[in-house]
Amino acid sequence: MFDINPGLIIWTILIFVLLASVLGKFAWKPMLKALSDREHAIRDALGQAEKAREEAQQLLRQNAENMARAEEEYQRMVREGKSLAEKMKDEIVAKARQQAQQDLVRAQEEIQRNVDAARQQLRDEVADLAIKAAEKILDESLDAARQKKLVDAVINKIPKN
Amino acid sequence: MFTAFQETEAVQHAAADTLHAMSDTLHAGAAQVAEHGEPFNFSHLLDHIKDSHEVELPFIHLRLPEFPPVHIAGLAIDLSPTKHVFFLVVSAVLLAVLVIISARAYRKSLVPHGLSALTEMLLVFVRDEIALPSLGAAGVRYVPYLLTTFFYILIMNLIGLIPFAATPTANVMVTAGLAIVAFIMIQASAIRAKGFGHYLAHLTGGVHWALWIIMIPIEVLGLFTKPFALCVRLFANMNAGHIVVLSLIGLIFMFRSLAVTPISIPLALFIDLLELLVAVIQAYVFTMLTALFMGLGMEGAHDEEEHAH
């Protein structure tokens, strides 16, 4: 246990140095490299995940904005449509009412004209009848022109309606 | 962490006490033993933790080749492989296979499964809890060295818990080798971080030149005590558990009575489980302190940079 054996020291150093160089080249280097590679990979993956999350959030925000804008647009369109419809309805009603008014006026005029014509005709006929009756009574004592003048004077004394 | 330190120290004390008690009982019972025949030889127990040129595995008895010692600068260095060299190599090969298999799994996918999940857990622990907090961002290049230190010591500590295997880290020569590597790494990282001039200037402790004659030896001594502490701490901790287990089992043979087994076997099991904990803790402590010492050596550079700004 306490034997002094320098040969063993030399063996130990020799084997250790040999082992250290072999392991350094074939074990520690690839393993440490794999470890740092993996650490980088994890760090990258985390960074990418963070970026993707931010992008997704931005998309979500954009989406919400778009939705809000679309909603607003829709509301506006509905409002405009409603007001347009209202206006059109008013116009149509007004036009219809005007048309009806015009038709009424025209019909009234037509009626008036017909009444006037009928009245004129009636007057003429009444005059003729009166002349004929007077002729019959007077038996041609007066010429036709004079008679007519007389009758007209009588008729004009009659109130118009 | 420090309670675990105290625990392992307590184990060492317990080990020493038990050995002491054992020898006392042995002397006291010598006469009694003589009646029963040959006394129990305790050196057989210690043979288990001693280094040797033989490896005893089930069904295999390996006799390792012995070479004549090499003479370098008047020192006779015996380079013939021993039991502990054998298990150093076994641990190294086992570790290399396990870790390279885990590393290859990453070619298929970056997500770890099974073995690579375990390796990765320990690797991330060493990198994020031991290396980088002490060394700072500049310490990334020393992470592979600290990983090798941690995993190699861990697997050597654990392999000693397998029956028939020996714990290389329970040999002070092996821990000395590891500490020498740590010493070189501590100095190299400091020189690299601060430059050689600043590294030498640091040895003066920043005091008046008249005091250098006192300061420089102290600082130089300080450079060596740190790895020396690493060496002794690991060796002593790994030995302690083994000695306690051997002592507990030795009680059976010493008393020559099966009545001791209900006590010594559960206690040995408990110490074994404690050793499992100590194996991990000592690998952690060695690596953490190495990282800490490297960080201390490199830290001066940051301070000076901050002063310059």
Side-chain angles (χ1 to χ4, degrees), chain B residues 20-96:
Chain B
H20 207 67
M22 262 164 54
S23 61
D24 282 355
T25 327
L26 188 68
H27 288 303
Q32 187 198 340
V33 165
E35 290 167 21
H36 288 85
E38 200 185 323
F40 179 63
N41 188 353
F42 277 90
S43 65
H44 286 324
L45 277 183
L46 290 179
D47 276 349
H48 174 75
I49 46 177
K50 266 190 187 155
D51 207 358
S52 73
H53 287 281
E54 285 167 43
V55 179
E56 284 175 63
L57 299 171
F59 311 114
I60 305 165
H61 189 93
L62 272 178
R63 177 136 198 101
L64 298 166
E66 285 183 60
F67 307 118
V70 187
H71 291 276
I72 300 168
L75 269 171
I77 300 172
D78 183 10
L79 276 177
S80 32
T82 62
K83 184 168 75 170
H84 285 150
V85 174
F86 178 79
F87 281 105
L88 272 173
V89 175
V90 168
S91 312
V93 171
L94 189 66
L95 176 63

Side-chain angles (χ1 to χ4, degrees), chain A residues 39-86:
Chain A
E39 278 156 16
H40 281 303
I42 290 171
R43 203 166 295 137
D44 285 356
L46 281 177
Q48 269 168 6
E50 180 65 20
K51 209 190 282 172
R53 200 178 63 83
E54 271 170 22
E55 269 172 22
Q57 234 161 20
Q58 202 179 338
L59 275 177
L60 211 67
R61 211 163 33 235
Q62 254 173 16
N63 230 356
E65 270 171 28
N66 285 347
M67 288 268 283
R69 211 177 299 136
E71 173 75 21
E72 207 176 301
E73 183 84 353
Y74 155 76
Q75 290 285 3
R76 196 177 57 79
M77 275 168 72
V78 166
R79 219 164 33 238
E80 275 179 9
K82 219 179 251 176
S83 71
L84 191 69
E86 195 78 17

Side-chain angles (χ1 to χ4, degrees), chain B residues 113 227 235:
Chain B
H113 291 287
F235 144 76

Side-chain angles (χ1 to χ4, degrees), chain B residues 22 40-41 63 76 80 102 112 117 123 149 175 212 250-251 276:
Chain B
M22 262 164 54
F40 179 63
N41 188 353
R63 177 136 198 101
S80 32
S102 336
L123 183 140
T149 306
T175 58
W212 284 7
L251 286 177
L276 209 57

